[in-house]
Amino acid sequence: MDRVRIGCNYERQLLWKVILGVPLIYLPIITTVPFVAIGVILIKTHLKYVGGMDIKSYSDFVPAWISHRYENNEQPAINISRFHPAHYRFFWIFNCKLYCPLSVALFRYVVYLVKIVENWWCPFAHDQKREYEEGSIDKSFWHVDPEELVKLHPDDKLNPIWNDKGE
């Protein structure tokens, strides 16, 4: 498995870099979530208007609260100065039970929706298309009209990601 190396280098970072770097994780979420949420609404509306049904909801991507390993009163907290927010359990509860799972779910959800759009409008194979399986559909735009279907390459006609009947 390919891995990003971070833990092996963390303790060698200058303290000012860590102090400055930690809050930077919240800025992308604060600045992008409103636009991503608007994008989700627009993409879902588009899919419904072109006939989309049985589209998963955002909640399907959010982990169940019960699946978190720690109860709130057991959530680990780091033993540092009480003047640092990371000293307090609420900081870790917020990050581990709200920020991380909800933001990851939002971005996974928008990717899922975009895969559906891609499979609907563009059922043409490329080297990354197998990654779009999560957004599988019954028929693509090109499979709906028999006159357009004949224009497709045989592999595109039969691909189960955008053609559940393989016809």
Side-chain angles (χ1 to χ4, degrees), residues 6-7 19 47 51 55 78 82 87 104 111 116 124 148 159:
I6 189 170
I19 290 171
L47 289 170
I55 299 168
I78 194 165
R82 63 187 170 116
H87 173 79
V104 168
V111 168
I116 295 170
F124 313 125
E148 300 304 323
N159 193 316

Side-chain angles (χ1 to χ4, degrees), residues 78-164:
I78 194 165
N79 189 19
I80 57 176
S81 167
R82 63 187 170 116
F83 298 109
H84 195 290
H87 173 79
Y88 297 96
R89 188 168 276 120
F90 75 83
F91 176 84
W92 295 102
I93 292 170
F94 170 78
N95 282 294
C96 298
K97 292 192 176 181
L98 293 174
Y99 168 80
C100 290
L102 296 181
S103 59
V104 168
L106 178 63
F107 287 99
R108 284 184 54 226
Y109 186 55
V110 77
V111 168
Y112 161 75
L113 293 174
V114 171
K115 288 175 181 178
I116 295 170
V117 170
E118 171 71 8
N119 289 336
W120 165 249
W121 289 111
C122 189
F124 313 125
H126 55 65
D127 68 341
Q128 295 292 315
K129 207 64 171 223
R130 68 187 178 284
E131 300 293 325
Y132 298 12
E133 189 172 333
E134 178 185 30
S136 293
I137 60 176
D138 59 342
K139 288 183 175 183
S140 80
F141 172 78
W142 294 88
H143 287 82
V144 174
D145 183 350
E147 289 182 30
E148 300 304 323
L149 181 61
V150 298
K151 298 176 183 176
L152 295 179
H153 184 280
D155 292 343
D156 293 336
K157 285 181 190 177
L158 304 175
N159 193 316
I161 292 176
W162 51 78
N163 180 7
D164 68 348

